Amino acid sequence: MASGKNSVLIVGSGGREHALGWKISQSIHVNKIYFAPGNGGTAENIEIKQNDIDKMVAFAKRQSNLLTIVGPEEPLSLGIVDTFEKEGLKIFGPSKAAAMLEASKTFAKEFMRNAGIPTAEFAIFSDAQKAKDYVTRQNKPLVVKADGLAAGKGVVVCDNADQAIAAIDMIMTKKEFGLAGSRVVIEERLAGEEASFIALCDGKSIMPLASSQDHKRIFDDDKGPNTGGMGAYSPAPVVDKELHKKIVKQVMEPVVNTMRKRGNPFTGFLYAGIMVNEKTHNPSVLEFNARMGDPECQPIIMRMKSDLYQYIDAAVDGRLGSMPPIEWSDQTAVCVIMAARGYPGNYKKGMAIEGLDSNFGQDVMIFHAGTIRGSQNRIVTNGGRVLGVTALGKDARRAIDSAYSAVRKIHWGDNDHYYRTDIARRAIMR
Ligand code: AMP
Ligand code: GLY
């Protein structure tokens, strides 16, 4: 790794990719960053769609000393890593086979059962009628999940059998998520507090990142439908030292060891969505993602003191085991997502964003997601989740105040922006 001679290509266009690029641009080992396709906040953007693997390969071949980092799940599940590696190109992310941990919930559940990883009891169905019969026989709250990728919308948390049957109809009969709904996982509904636990993996060992907590529902107090995530903060106080150890020993290490034994070593960001049982304080896995979380990435990155590039480079080379633990700021970081009003349903695009040139003060970052540069270089909205306003503070309260005071300086359209007002409140209530 020659100092300053390396370039990086970041695949994706979300707030996660902006945050990764921002952090990596600070590395003394990197002198050039590209985003494909990137967004209105990132530079230098390359006009290649995130799933266009052939064009991505052609671009990468023209660069020297390039490391490609994949943000989103779609290119991973299409095998971007396998293709790059076949071409001798350096890339960070799981292979198509390893990304199955996210791309197929039935695969993930069976994997967990075989590896002895704690997770909710479940059954798998490819026949809608059999699924409904099962739901009727079970006399308890259930969760119905489409097997395949559904942009975070394929999970329905149900209070009763009628809701579960409606969810089965939506996924399997109406095929709202297409082939992703050919099979469903029906699992026991767990109670507790959620946390996101993410680690860098090199196929053999793991390097845990700081804990975080996401806010998946659209409205305050966790009401309304699930979204990609409306805000996040780090650290998550629920993940104390003891729980951290349990998650490493009972979840992360078994995943890496079992994947390696199966001949599909996991290299990349491994994300476990965890439910923490209030009484036992034991973790149970709700889902795996084969990538960084979005928006969890934004507050985690704000707290990272170490050079992320060095760690990713070590992971690609299988050297994570010899790296010292990552250093973290002991401050709290809070990310509030500013979304287009109407998201996760229909919403308008193309509105000029006002206030981006405000003085936000130190320790505030405005990470872009659904934005593009319009005419006269103005930043306009171009997606559901538009900005991730992220602030560091001495404690959760100060980080919250600082993030929201930045949020209040930004707006677009005629009251067309929307955000939750209770991000990280739980961290204070603890
Ligand atoms: P998933 O994509 O599987 O993580 O599910 C999305 C969200 O649904 C999770 O973050 C939880 O809030 C909720 N969820 C998923 N599985 C369960 C479960 N077994 N019990 C309770 N809530 C769940
Ligand atoms: N924020 C949840 C996810 O990235 O899937």
Side-chain angles (χ1 to χ4, degrees), residues 11 50-51 53 70-83 91 93-104 147-151 180 266 289-291:
V11 176
Q50 67 177 33
N51 291 345
I53 296 175
V70 189
E73 62 276 23
E74 265 196 286
L76 292 170
S77 69
L78 293 171
I80 188 171
V81 170
D82 310 62
T83 308
I91 187 163
S95 65
K96 185 175 180 173
M100 284 287 280
L101 279 172
E102 171 167 9
S104 167
D147 178 41
L149 294 178
F266 190 98
N289 293 319
R291 54 176 171 80

Side-chain angles (χ1 to χ4, degrees), residues 105 120 143 145 155 157 187-190 194 216 226 275 286-287:
K105 291 197 187 283
V143 181
K145 302 182 173 184
V155 173
V157 179
E187 63 180 45
E188 164 199 16
R189 179 172 168 182
L190 303 174
E194 285 181 50
K216 287 212 166 78
N226 268 334
M275 185 74 91
L286 298 174
E287 64 165 339

Side-chain angles (χ1 to χ4, degrees), residues 214-217 219-224 420 422 426:
D214 186 14
H215 299 62
K216 287 212 166 78
R217 308 293 193 98
F219 300 125
D220 281 13
D221 298 320
D222 297 327
K223 302 262 163 59
R420 272 179 69 158
D422 64 345
R426 199 180 263 133

Side-chain angles (χ1 to χ4, degrees), residues 49 66 86 92 193 212-213 226 230 259 294 308 314 402:
K49 295 205 176 83
L66 181 79
K86 233 179 268 156
F92 182 61
E193 186 169 341
S212 57
Q213 203 169 63
N226 268 334
M230 292 302 293
M259 289 302 278
D294 189 344
L308 176 62
S402 169

